[in-house]
Amino acid sequence: MAKIKSNYSCTECGGVANKWAGQCPACGQWNSLVECVVDAGTNRYSQTPQSLAQTAPVLQLSEIDALEVPRFTTGIEEFDRVLGGGLVCGGVVLIGGDPGIGKSTLLLQALAAMAMQKRVLYVSGEESGAQIALRSKRLGVENSALKLQAEIQLEKILSTLVQHKPQVVVIDSIQTMYSDALSSAPGSVAQVRECAAQLTRAAKLSNITIIMVGHVTKEGALAGPRVLEHIVDTVLYFEGDTHSSFRLVRAIKNRFGAVNELGVFAMTERGLKGVSNPSALFLSQHDTPVPGACVMVTQEGSRPLLVEIQALVDTSHAPNARRLSVGLEQNRLAMLLAVLHRHAGIAAFDQDVFINAVGGVKIVEPAADLAVLMAIHSSMRNRPLPRGLVVFGEVGLAGEIRPAPRGQERLREAAKLGFSVALIPKANAPKQPIEGLQIVAVDRIDQALSKLREIEN
Ligand code: TYD
Ligand code: MG
């Protein structure tokens, strides 16, 4: 095969250079130049279209039939839920997560279930056939009609796709694949991008559903270029603490469904099992109320989840007090402490502040703000929050408490789980009373703290 020429393009601005350099000549960004294939000669892309969807003439939007995409189930209910109701023919899914969190396990289980109705292929670049066979025994799916290929060369995989015509393919993982067209090593940005693009093209042309596994970096982003996320239709992330048995799968991007949908699994000795009613998983069990713990209701996609937020405030002995957060946003913590000082007169400049969302869940929505502040306040005073209290609401820089989306659903879930008092934004106060739940609606942070004192007494 003729060597294809390569040049270097910037991952930040897209600028092109002939030689590698530490700094992009176009935008000045450091370490952003990566090797890419050059369009060799005339029409490499006219044979394999560069555009990922098939090309079509210009049409009036109203002339085009809005076809409902046909979906099929993965055989795992929680997995279907994150995907927005199942997989789509010709759809490409990227699934990321820390090593050992359960990506291969989940996909093997799903493929084994799908093998009953569809032609499926598992391409593994990380484990040998024997290792996967062993795992499938453990999962109790060794008798499935699943086809397996241990291969890392893209061209061979593409020809397998043509030969065997599978309907669903898992690529585990995209970082181990390499294309002969490029000279760089597997896992490099250029290779990952080229392999993902070629596979996506194959998926669209032959209507194959492809699920790619992607590794994440230390920072938690998918390793390799961000373009991976642009190429594929759906991006899922595995979250959770590898020490606890619960795993969350979250949709970050979905061209065929809602994002922020959440699938909850428990890792057992026979693989991942879906948890259909997860709302009380992320509460730690205290016999007596403890200072620094506050329960919030977070809304993950279509379902509310009760999560305990913990805070520890301790006198700092370092010149700069430490602010540390696990599962919540670090920058937001600094901001909330500033709001607490300016609008409620509670200073923490000489205190180390640690916050944590129990159970390894990651909370990105700002509706956690009020619960974080309540937990911090409780830890500072070394006094537990009242029993049965549940809190949510966003806190603004002016000290105001802003509403959270879908307040009613959150409140109903809290009432269902036996919570008796809800401290919430005024705009979220329900019009009809909710049975068993006392509503305390506030619109400023200082008001929230004084209402809290009233509840305590
Ligand atoms: P794995 O699915 O290989 O993770 P990834 O592909 O994301 O790197 O491994 C998941 C972990 O789960 C592994 O450390 C062993 C454990 N495990 C179980 O607890 N029960 C099981 O049935 C299986 C197959 C794995
Ligand atoms: Mg794996």
Side-chain angles (χ1 to χ4, degrees):
M1 180 170 205
K3 199 99 199 146
I4 290 174
K5 259 174 60 187
S6 60
N7 64 9
Y8 296 83
S9 84
C10 173
T11 52
E12 300 294 318
C13 70
V16 178
N18 284 324
K19 274 200 183 134
W20 189 84
Q23 189 178 25
C24 169
C27 69
Q29 181 71 31
W30 289 94
N31 280 332
S32 63
L33 289 185
V34 293
E35 190 186 16
C36 293
V37 214
V38 180
D39 187 344
T42 44
N43 51 6
R44 177 169 175 252
Y45 291 122
S46 59
Q47 289 156 1
T48 46
Q50 169 71 327
S51 63
L52 298 173
Q54 289 186 28
T55 49
V58 177
L59 291 174
Q60 192 119 20
L61 180 60
S62 54
E63 293 170 17
I64 305 174
D65 291 331
L67 289 175
E68 198 51 58
V69 278
R71 286 180 187 277
F72 55 92
T73 166
T74 58
I76 299 177
E77 201 185 321
E78 287 294 298
F79 196 24
D80 285 345
R81 174 197 291 276
V82 254
L83 289 165
L87 286 164
V88 171
C89 294
V92 180
V93 179
L94 177 66
I95 176 159
D98 292 331
I101 202 156
K103 301 181 291 297
S104 309
T105 305
L106 176 66
L107 294 177
L108 189 60
Q109 284 180 281
L111 270 199
M114 278 186 273
M116 291 176 213
Q117 280 102 34
K118 305 228 167 228
R119 287 186 305 278
V120 300
L121 175 70
Y122 190 106
V123 181
S124 177
E126 302 201 329
E127 289 158 302
S128 67
Q131 281 171 308
I132 296 170
L134 196 67
R135 183 196 302 247
S136 68
K137 227 179 219 146
R138 201 169 154 184
L139 298 173
V141 297
E142 69 270 35
N143 297 325
S144 117
L146 185 149
K147 291 244 170 33
L148 193 81
Q149 185 184 25
E151 180 57 66
I152 58 171
Q153 201 204 326
L154 178 73
E155 284 74 17
K156 287 195 188 146
I157 296 168
L158 290 177
S159 67
T160 311
L161 297 190
V162 173
Q163 250 174 39
H164 289 258
K165 301 197 173 42
Q167 291 160 302
V168 187
V169 178
V170 165
I171 305 287
D172 189 0
S173 66
I174 190 71
Q175 271 93 358
T176 53
M177 303 296 150
Y178 79 97
S179 160
D180 257 351
L182 293 180
S183 59
S184 47
S188 66
V189 175
Q191 287 285 9
V192 169
R193 179 155 62 178
E194 179 69 10
C195 292
Q198 295 270 11
L199 285 167
T200 307
R201 236 167 269 158
K204 304 290 168 198
L205 287 175
S206 335
N207 217 18
I208 307 172
T209 304
I210 297 190
I211 309 177
M212 299 189 238
V213 173
H215 289 287
V216 295
T217 59
K218 281 205 298 289
E219 293 79 40
L222 275 165
R226 284 307 290 259
V227 288
L228 260 193
E229 294 187 9
H230 300 302
I231 293 174
V232 301
D233 299 310
T234 305
V235 180
L236 308 181
Y237 269 91
F238 246 103
E239 297 177 0
D241 206 342
T242 31
H243 308 295
S244 90
S245 65
F246 295 110
R247 303 282 186 276
L248 303 175
V249 181
R250 191 190 297 270
I252 302 291
K253 161 183 171 177
N254 196 350
R255 286 190 185 141
F256 305 114
V259 287
N260 254 336
E261 217 31 280
L262 195 75
V264 183
F265 296 92
M267 180 62 95
T268 66
E269 65 268 35
R270 304 204 65 207
L272 288 161
K273 294 247 149 53
V275 179
S276 49
N277 184 16
S279 54
L281 278 187
F282 302 101
L283 302 179
S284 58
Q285 312 290 328
H286 306 290
D287 295 337
T288 49
V290 291
C294 179
V295 176
M296 76 162 294
V297 204
T298 172
Q299 180 87 28
E300 293 291 355
S302 57
R303 69 186 167 187
L305 208 61
L306 281 106
V307 179
E308 181 177 314
I309 307 288
Q310 296 185 332
L312 180 71
V313 181
D314 191 23
T315 315
S316 176
H317 297 287
N320 290 318
R322 294 218 281 164
R323 273 96 184 79
L324 209 85
S325 70
V326 180
L328 292 144
E329 265 184 83
Q330 184 108 2
N331 291 335
R332 213 153 173 102
L333 172 61
M335 191 196 96
L336 289 174
L337 289 173
V339 172
L340 193 63
H341 183 211
R342 281 299 299 273
H343 296 287
I346 299 171
F349 58 86
D350 55 349
Q351 305 281 329
D352 289 335
V353 180
F354 308 96
I355 55 171
N356 174 31
V358 169
V361 57
K362 275 203 190 70
I363 301 178
V364 282
E365 62 164 5
D369 291 354
L370 193 56
V372 169
L373 284 183
M374 287 299 148
I376 290 173
H377 182 58
S378 157
S379 176
M380 269 180 174
R381 297 189 308 157
N382 199 27
R383 183 170 176 174
L385 290 168
R387 225 177 231 284
L389 177 75
V390 65
V391 177
F392 64 84
E394 179 180 346
V395 176
L397 282 182
E400 81 277 18
I401 312 281
R402 295 208 210 109
R406 305 205 197 186
Q408 300 284 316
E409 282 170 46
R410 295 181 202 237
L411 290 171
R412 256 180 266 125
E413 187 69 23
K416 210 165 83 190
L417 285 162
F419 286 84
S420 52
V421 191
L423 184 65
I424 57 165
K426 201 160 249 168
N428 279 134
K431 291 191 183 68
Q432 267 103 43
I434 294 176
E435 202 181 302
L437 195 67
Q438 180 199 346
I439 304 291
V440 182
V442 292
D443 57 7
R444 298 204 53 80
I445 180 68
D446 43 338
Q447 191 193 359
L449 294 177
S450 62
K451 288 273 188 193
L452 180 68
R453 252 164 262 135
E454 279 172 34
I455 305 171
E456 279 170 350
N457 297 323

